[in-house]
Amino acid sequence: MANVLFYLLLAVIVLYTVFPFYWAIVSSLKSGSALFQVDFWPQDPYWENYVAVFREQPFGRNILNSLLVSISTVLISLSLALAAAYAMGRIQFRGRTLLLFVILGVSMFPQVAVLSGMFELINSLGLYNNLLALSLSYMIFTLPFTVWVLTTFMRELPKELEEAAIVDGATPFTIVTKVFIPLMGPALVTTGLLAFIAAWNEFLFALTFTLSSEMRTVPVAIALISGASSYELPWGNIMAASVIVTVPLIVLVLVFQRRIVSGLTAGAVKG
């Protein structure tokens, strides 16, 4: 009986998580009044929606923008988080725990609470309508959890490895890059992928700090897709665009699923 309930619960969870994406695919293959008909699969798939997404706006450029911003955000976050994790995970100093909680506390502020201040900062730096503005502003929500996860992982690495490297004359930079990074593959993949997804899906900062259609990222581009008139909402195009930008994330998760699980569980149990 317990096994039956377990698999029933598992089926409900899978249905709950997969069905929205499945329905987005079905809706992306419909047009006109067919969008309002309940079909498990369209009788005559309408592939024109996928073509229209790229024809009616610079959606290819928007995807490239999101890719550049997400990759740069991941690289900057991991670089800074590695340095911070080494300091807070391997070096003893007063207030280390408090500092770690302060860093984590930054992520608890809603984006709208810091939006006006970030806008003034971005504007004063001359980065308005620039992709670099997005990469820098995304540090607010990617750095805290990358620092926290990497610090937790680095604390569990054997101290003997570090001591042996110090005896051999290795500097802290060498210890981090040559000794620790090869051992932190699962944690780096996990935090990097989570940071990539967060940057890829971010909407508020991207809407506020960009102006032209050529500088928009995909969430903003999808939100601003419009029909032939103000009374028309092209659900087929919107669903097609959503499917296009969701598939790469699914592929990434499937490819790195084992490393993600290893990274999430690493350091959870000591000894």
mmCIF file of all heavy atoms in Angstrom, residues 56-92:
data_model
loop_
_atom_site.group_PDB
_atom_site.id
_atom_site.type_symbol
_atom_site.label_atom_id
_atom_site.label_comp_id
_atom_site.label_asym_id
_atom_site.label_seq_id
_atom_site.Cartn_x
_atom_site.Cartn_y
_atom_site.Cartn_z
ATOM 1 N N GLU A 56 8.947 38.587 -36.812
ATOM 2 C CA GLU A 56 8.269 39.807 -36.390
ATOM 3 C C GLU A 56 9.045 40.612 -35.362
ATOM 4 O O GLU A 56 8.677 41.747 -35.062
ATOM 5 C CB GLU A 56 6.880 39.459 -35.839
ATOM 6 C CG GLU A 56 5.976 38.835 -36.892
ATOM 7 C CD GLU A 56 4.655 38.373 -36.317
ATOM 8 O OE1 GLU A 56 4.438 38.584 -35.095
ATOM 9 O OE2 GLU A 56 3.847 37.797 -37.073
ATOM 10 N N GLN A 57 10.092 40.062 -34.767
ATOM 11 C CA GLN A 57 10.944 40.802 -33.840
ATOM 12 C C GLN A 57 12.335 40.166 -33.843
ATOM 13 O O GLN A 57 12.498 39.028 -34.286
ATOM 14 C CB GLN A 57 10.380 40.806 -32.417
ATOM 15 C CG GLN A 57 10.213 39.450 -31.779
ATOM 16 C CD GLN A 57 8.818 38.899 -32.007
ATOM 17 O OE1 GLN A 57 7.849 39.632 -32.095
ATOM 18 N NE2 GLN A 57 8.740 37.587 -32.120
ATOM 19 N N PRO A 58 13.343 40.900 -33.381
ATOM 20 C CA PRO A 58 14.721 40.350 -33.389
ATOM 21 C C PRO A 58 14.915 39.321 -32.286
ATOM 22 O O PRO A 58 15.731 39.498 -31.367
ATOM 23 C CB PRO A 58 15.579 41.603 -33.164
ATOM 24 C CG PRO A 58 14.714 42.525 -32.381
ATOM 25 C CD PRO A 58 13.313 42.285 -32.881
ATOM 26 N N PHE A 59 14.153 38.222 -32.366
ATOM 27 C CA PHE A 59 14.174 37.239 -31.289
ATOM 28 C C PHE A 59 15.506 36.492 -31.232
ATOM 29 O O PHE A 59 15.951 36.094 -30.146
ATOM 30 C CB PHE A 59 13.020 36.251 -31.460
ATOM 31 C CG PHE A 59 12.698 35.486 -30.213
ATOM 32 C CD1 PHE A 59 12.160 36.120 -29.115
ATOM 33 C CD2 PHE A 59 12.939 34.112 -30.136
ATOM 34 C CE1 PHE A 59 11.860 35.416 -27.955
ATOM 35 C CE2 PHE A 59 12.641 33.398 -28.994
ATOM 36 C CZ PHE A 59 12.101 34.051 -27.902
ATOM 37 N N GLY A 60 16.139 36.291 -32.369
ATOM 38 C CA GLY A 60 17.454 35.665 -32.366
ATOM 39 C C GLY A 60 18.463 36.496 -31.604
ATOM 40 O O GLY A 60 19.275 35.972 -30.840
ATOM 41 N N ARG A 61 18.399 37.818 -31.792
ATOM 42 C CA ARG A 61 19.278 38.721 -31.049
ATOM 43 C C ARG A 61 18.941 38.698 -29.555
ATOM 44 O O ARG A 61 19.846 38.757 -28.704
ATOM 45 C CB ARG A 61 19.135 40.142 -31.600
ATOM 46 C CG ARG A 61 19.947 41.213 -30.859
ATOM 47 C CD ARG A 61 21.440 40.964 -30.955
ATOM 48 N NE ARG A 61 22.185 41.922 -30.176
ATOM 49 C CZ ARG A 61 22.614 43.086 -30.656
ATOM 50 N NH1 ARG A 61 22.347 43.430 -31.924
ATOM 51 N NH2 ARG A 61 23.309 43.914 -29.907
ATOM 52 N N ASN A 62 17.674 38.603 -29.233
ATOM 53 C CA ASN A 62 17.274 38.541 -27.824
ATOM 54 C C ASN A 62 17.814 37.274 -27.153
ATOM 55 O O ASN A 62 18.246 37.325 -25.996
ATOM 56 C CB ASN A 62 15.751 38.568 -27.705
ATOM 57 C CG ASN A 62 15.134 39.827 -28.284
ATOM 58 O OD1 ASN A 62 14.054 39.791 -28.886
ATOM 59 N ND2 ASN A 62 15.813 40.962 -28.156
ATOM 60 N N ILE A 63 17.776 36.152 -27.867
ATOM 61 C CA ILE A 63 18.335 34.910 -27.318
ATOM 62 C C ILE A 63 19.832 35.052 -27.091
ATOM 63 O O ILE A 63 20.371 34.633 -26.056
ATOM 64 C CB ILE A 63 18.033 33.726 -28.263
ATOM 65 C CG1 ILE A 63 16.529 33.441 -28.302
ATOM 66 C CG2 ILE A 63 18.793 32.472 -27.826
ATOM 67 C CD1 ILE A 63 16.140 32.345 -29.276
ATOM 68 N N LEU A 64 20.526 35.671 -28.066
ATOM 69 C CA LEU A 64 21.965 35.891 -27.914
ATOM 70 C C LEU A 64 22.254 36.798 -26.726
ATOM 71 O O LEU A 64 23.204 36.562 -25.976
ATOM 72 C CB LEU A 64 22.529 36.500 -29.207
ATOM 73 C CG LEU A 64 24.034 36.794 -29.208
ATOM 74 C CD1 LEU A 64 24.828 35.509 -28.997
ATOM 75 C CD2 LEU A 64 24.443 37.469 -30.518
ATOM 76 N N ASN A 65 21.431 37.833 -26.539
ATOM 77 C CA ASN A 65 21.607 38.726 -25.389
ATOM 78 C C ASN A 65 21.481 37.956 -24.077
ATOM 79 O O ASN A 65 22.301 38.117 -23.164
ATOM 80 C CB ASN A 65 20.572 39.846 -25.428
ATOM 81 C CG ASN A 65 20.807 40.823 -26.564
ATOM 82 O OD1 ASN A 65 21.896 40.888 -27.121
ATOM 83 N ND2 ASN A 65 19.791 41.585 -26.901
ATOM 84 N N SER A 66 20.441 37.125 -23.977
ATOM 85 C CA SER A 66 20.243 36.336 -22.758
ATOM 86 C C SER A 66 21.403 35.374 -22.531
ATOM 87 O O SER A 66 21.845 35.163 -21.394
ATOM 88 C CB SER A 66 18.932 35.548 -22.842
ATOM 89 O OG SER A 66 17.826 36.388 -22.682
ATOM 90 N N LEU A 67 21.898 34.801 -23.615
ATOM 91 C CA LEU A 67 23.019 33.869 -23.505
ATOM 92 C C LEU A 67 24.274 34.581 -23.002
ATOM 93 O O LEU A 67 24.960 34.094 -22.096
ATOM 94 C CB LEU A 67 23.276 33.219 -24.867
ATOM 95 C CG LEU A 67 24.184 31.995 -24.892
ATOM 96 C CD1 LEU A 67 23.597 30.873 -24.047
ATOM 97 C CD2 LEU A 67 24.406 31.523 -26.318
ATOM 98 N N LEU A 68 24.571 35.750 -23.573
ATOM 99 C CA LEU A 68 25.752 36.510 -23.158
ATOM 100 C C LEU A 68 25.641 36.961 -21.706
ATOM 101 O O LEU A 68 26.594 36.847 -20.929
ATOM 102 C CB LEU A 68 25.944 37.721 -24.071
ATOM 103 C CG LEU A 68 26.321 37.431 -25.527
ATOM 104 C CD1 LEU A 68 26.350 38.713 -26.346
ATOM 105 C CD2 LEU A 68 27.675 36.728 -25.603
ATOM 106 N N VAL A 69 24.468 37.471 -21.341
ATOM 107 C CA VAL A 69 24.276 37.953 -19.975
ATOM 108 C C VAL A 69 24.357 36.801 -18.983
ATOM 109 O O VAL A 69 25.008 36.910 -17.931
ATOM 110 C CB VAL A 69 22.916 38.680 -19.849
ATOM 111 C CG1 VAL A 69 22.600 38.967 -18.388
ATOM 112 C CG2 VAL A 69 22.932 39.977 -20.645
ATOM 113 N N SER A 70 23.727 35.673 -19.296
ATOM 114 C CA SER A 70 23.710 34.540 -18.372
ATOM 115 C C SER A 70 25.106 33.950 -18.192
ATOM 116 O O SER A 70 25.514 33.650 -17.059
ATOM 117 C CB SER A 70 22.741 33.464 -18.886
ATOM 118 O OG SER A 70 21.428 33.972 -18.992
ATOM 119 N N ILE A 71 25.839 33.784 -19.283
ATOM 120 C CA ILE A 71 27.193 33.217 -19.188
ATOM 121 C C ILE A 71 28.117 34.148 -18.419
ATOM 122 O O ILE A 71 28.887 33.713 -17.553
ATOM 123 C CB ILE A 71 27.749 32.927 -20.591
ATOM 124 C CG1 ILE A 71 26.976 31.771 -21.238
ATOM 125 C CG2 ILE A 71 29.237 32.583 -20.527
ATOM 126 C CD1 ILE A 71 27.399 31.468 -22.666
ATOM 127 N N SER A 72 28.063 35.453 -18.716
ATOM 128 C CA SER A 72 28.913 36.405 -18.000
ATOM 129 C C SER A 72 28.549 36.458 -16.521
ATOM 130 O O SER A 72 29.430 36.558 -15.656
ATOM 131 C CB SER A 72 28.803 37.798 -18.627
ATOM 132 O OG SER A 72 27.477 38.291 -18.556
ATOM 133 N N THR A 73 27.259 36.367 -16.209
ATOM 134 C CA THR A 73 26.830 36.355 -14.812
ATOM 135 C C THR A 73 27.378 35.135 -14.089
ATOM 136 O O THR A 73 27.861 35.235 -12.944
ATOM 137 C CB THR A 73 25.295 36.359 -14.717
ATOM 138 O OG1 THR A 73 24.783 37.550 -15.330
ATOM 139 C CG2 THR A 73 24.840 36.316 -13.271
ATOM 140 N N VAL A 74 27.331 33.983 -14.731
ATOM 141 C CA VAL A 74 27.856 32.761 -14.125
ATOM 142 C C VAL A 74 29.358 32.864 -13.888
ATOM 143 O O VAL A 74 29.856 32.523 -12.805
ATOM 144 C CB VAL A 74 27.538 31.546 -15.018
ATOM 145 C CG1 VAL A 74 28.287 30.304 -14.527
ATOM 146 C CG2 VAL A 74 26.046 31.275 -15.035
ATOM 147 N N LEU A 75 30.094 33.338 -14.880
ATOM 148 C CA LEU A 75 31.554 33.433 -14.755
ATOM 149 C C LEU A 75 31.960 34.397 -13.644
ATOM 150 O O LEU A 75 32.849 34.096 -12.833
ATOM 151 C CB LEU A 75 32.165 33.875 -16.089
ATOM 152 C CG LEU A 75 32.043 32.875 -17.247
ATOM 153 C CD1 LEU A 75 32.643 33.453 -18.521
ATOM 154 C CD2 LEU A 75 32.715 31.555 -16.895
ATOM 155 N N ILE A 76 31.307 35.564 -13.591
ATOM 156 C CA ILE A 76 31.638 36.543 -12.553
ATOM 157 C C ILE A 76 31.243 36.016 -11.175
ATOM 158 O O ILE A 76 32.004 36.137 -10.203
ATOM 159 C CB ILE A 76 30.950 37.893 -12.837
ATOM 160 C CG1 ILE A 76 31.446 38.484 -14.150
ATOM 161 C CG2 ILE A 76 31.216 38.877 -11.700
ATOM 162 C CD1 ILE A 76 30.696 39.734 -14.581
ATOM 163 N N SER A 77 30.059 35.414 -11.092
ATOM 164 C CA SER A 77 29.580 34.901 -9.802
ATOM 165 C C SER A 77 30.498 33.808 -9.264
ATOM 166 O O SER A 77 30.878 33.827 -8.082
ATOM 167 C CB SER A 77 28.152 34.355 -9.950
ATOM 168 O OG SER A 77 27.247 35.367 -10.271
ATOM 169 N N LEU A 78 30.870 32.862 -10.112
ATOM 170 C CA LEU A 78 31.719 31.766 -9.648
ATOM 171 C C LEU A 78 33.114 32.255 -9.285
ATOM 172 O O LEU A 78 33.715 31.769 -8.314
ATOM 173 C CB LEU A 78 31.806 30.679 -10.724
ATOM 174 C CG LEU A 78 30.529 29.876 -10.986
ATOM 175 C CD1 LEU A 78 30.778 28.798 -12.028
ATOM 176 C CD2 LEU A 78 29.998 29.253 -9.705
ATOM 177 N N SER A 79 33.642 33.214 -10.044
ATOM 178 C CA SER A 79 34.980 33.741 -9.739
ATOM 179 C C SER A 79 34.999 34.424 -8.380
ATOM 180 O O SER A 79 35.883 34.173 -7.545
ATOM 181 C CB SER A 79 35.416 34.725 -10.833
ATOM 182 O OG SER A 79 35.475 34.087 -12.085
ATOM 183 N N LEU A 80 34.037 35.302 -8.139
ATOM 184 C CA LEU A 80 33.975 36.001 -6.858
ATOM 185 C C LEU A 80 33.604 35.049 -5.724
ATOM 186 O O LEU A 80 34.141 35.155 -4.609
ATOM 187 C CB LEU A 80 32.948 37.142 -6.937
ATOM 188 C CG LEU A 80 33.264 38.263 -7.931
ATOM 189 C CD1 LEU A 80 32.132 39.288 -7.955
ATOM 190 C CD2 LEU A 80 34.584 38.947 -7.566
ATOM 191 N N ALA A 81 32.688 34.115 -5.994
ATOM 192 C CA ALA A 81 32.246 33.195 -4.952
ATOM 193 C C ALA A 81 33.364 32.245 -4.534
ATOM 194 O O ALA A 81 33.456 31.874 -3.357
ATOM 195 C CB ALA A 81 31.036 32.405 -5.430
ATOM 196 N N LEU A 82 34.206 31.833 -5.466
ATOM 197 C CA LEU A 82 35.321 30.956 -5.119
ATOM 198 C C LEU A 82 36.281 31.642 -4.153
ATOM 199 O O LEU A 82 36.733 31.046 -3.172
ATOM 200 C CB LEU A 82 36.066 30.531 -6.388
ATOM 201 C CG LEU A 82 35.561 29.277 -7.090
ATOM 202 C CD1 LEU A 82 36.265 29.094 -8.426
ATOM 203 C CD2 LEU A 82 35.759 28.044 -6.212
ATOM 204 N N ALA A 83 36.601 32.909 -4.448
ATOM 205 C CA ALA A 83 37.499 33.662 -3.561
ATOM 206 C C ALA A 83 36.868 33.843 -2.183
ATOM 207 O O ALA A 83 37.524 33.658 -1.149
ATOM 208 C CB ALA A 83 37.823 35.017 -4.189
ATOM 209 N N ALA A 84 35.578 34.200 -2.165
ATOM 210 C CA ALA A 84 34.894 34.393 -0.893
ATOM 211 C C ALA A 84 34.757 33.078 -0.131
ATOM 212 O O ALA A 84 34.910 33.032 1.101
ATOM 213 C CB ALA A 84 33.516 35.008 -1.132
ATOM 214 N N ALA A 85 34.480 31.989 -0.845
ATOM 215 C CA ALA A 85 34.319 30.685 -0.201
ATOM 216 C C ALA A 85 35.626 30.211 0.421
ATOM 217 O O ALA A 85 35.627 29.604 1.503
ATOM 218 C CB ALA A 85 33.813 29.663 -1.216
ATOM 219 N N TYR A 86 36.734 30.486 -0.240
ATOM 220 C CA TYR A 86 38.035 30.098 0.333
ATOM 221 C C TYR A 86 38.303 30.874 1.614
ATOM 222 O O TYR A 86 38.767 30.309 2.616
ATOM 223 C CB TYR A 86 39.150 30.353 -0.672
ATOM 224 C CG TYR A 86 40.519 30.029 -0.139
ATOM 225 C CD1 TYR A 86 40.938 28.709 -0.012
ATOM 226 C CD2 TYR A 86 41.385 31.041 0.254
ATOM 227 C CE1 TYR A 86 42.186 28.398 0.497
ATOM 228 C CE2 TYR A 86 42.639 30.747 0.768
ATOM 229 C CZ TYR A 86 43.036 29.425 0.885
ATOM 230 O OH TYR A 86 44.270 29.121 1.398
ATOM 231 N N ALA A 87 37.981 32.173 1.598
ATOM 232 C CA ALA A 87 38.222 32.997 2.784
ATOM 233 C C ALA A 87 37.345 32.563 3.952
ATOM 234 O O ALA A 87 37.809 32.465 5.095
ATOM 235 C CB ALA A 87 37.973 34.466 2.452
ATOM 236 N N MET A 88 36.076 32.290 3.680
ATOM 237 C CA MET A 88 35.147 31.973 4.766
ATOM 238 C C MET A 88 35.103 30.490 5.105
ATOM 239 O O MET A 88 34.590 30.111 6.153
ATOM 240 C CB MET A 88 33.738 32.465 4.396
ATOM 241 C CG MET A 88 33.632 33.978 4.452
ATOM 242 S SD MET A 88 31.963 34.590 4.156
ATOM 243 C CE MET A 88 31.856 34.313 2.393
ATOM 244 N N GLY A 89 35.620 29.661 4.224
ATOM 245 C CA GLY A 89 35.600 28.229 4.487
ATOM 246 C C GLY A 89 36.895 27.676 5.021
ATOM 247 O O GLY A 89 36.887 26.634 5.698
ATOM 248 N N ARG A 90 38.008 28.363 4.757
ATOM 249 C CA ARG A 90 39.303 27.804 5.147
ATOM 250 C C ARG A 90 40.099 28.710 6.079
ATOM 251 O O ARG A 90 41.069 28.257 6.681
ATOM 252 C CB ARG A 90 40.154 27.539 3.893
ATOM 253 C CG ARG A 90 39.441 26.832 2.770
ATOM 254 C CD ARG A 90 38.972 25.456 3.159
ATOM 255 N NE ARG A 90 40.063 24.524 3.408
ATOM 256 C CZ ARG A 90 39.914 23.210 3.552
ATOM 257 N NH1 ARG A 90 38.694 22.699 3.461
ATOM 258 N NH2 ARG A 90 40.937 22.434 3.797
ATOM 259 N N ILE A 91 39.730 29.974 6.198
ATOM 260 C CA ILE A 91 40.484 30.920 7.017
ATOM 261 C C ILE A 91 39.670 31.289 8.248
ATOM 262 O O ILE A 91 38.497 31.641 8.142
ATOM 263 C CB ILE A 91 40.838 32.194 6.218
ATOM 264 C CG1 ILE A 91 41.662 31.831 4.980
ATOM 265 C CG2 ILE A 91 41.602 33.187 7.081
ATOM 266 C CD1 ILE A 91 41.948 33.002 4.061
ATOM 267 N N GLN A 92 40.295 31.205 9.408
ATOM 268 C CA GLN A 92 39.633 31.543 10.655
ATOM 269 C C GLN A 92 39.796 33.040 10.929
ATOM 270 O O GLN A 92 40.912 33.556 10.988
ATOM 271 C CB GLN A 92 40.252 30.743 11.815
ATOM 272 C CG GLN A 92 40.079 29.239 11.700
ATOM 273 C CD GLN A 92 38.646 28.796 11.935
ATOM 274 O OE1 GLN A 92 37.850 29.513 12.545
ATOM 275 N NE2 GLN A 92 38.311 27.601 11.460
#
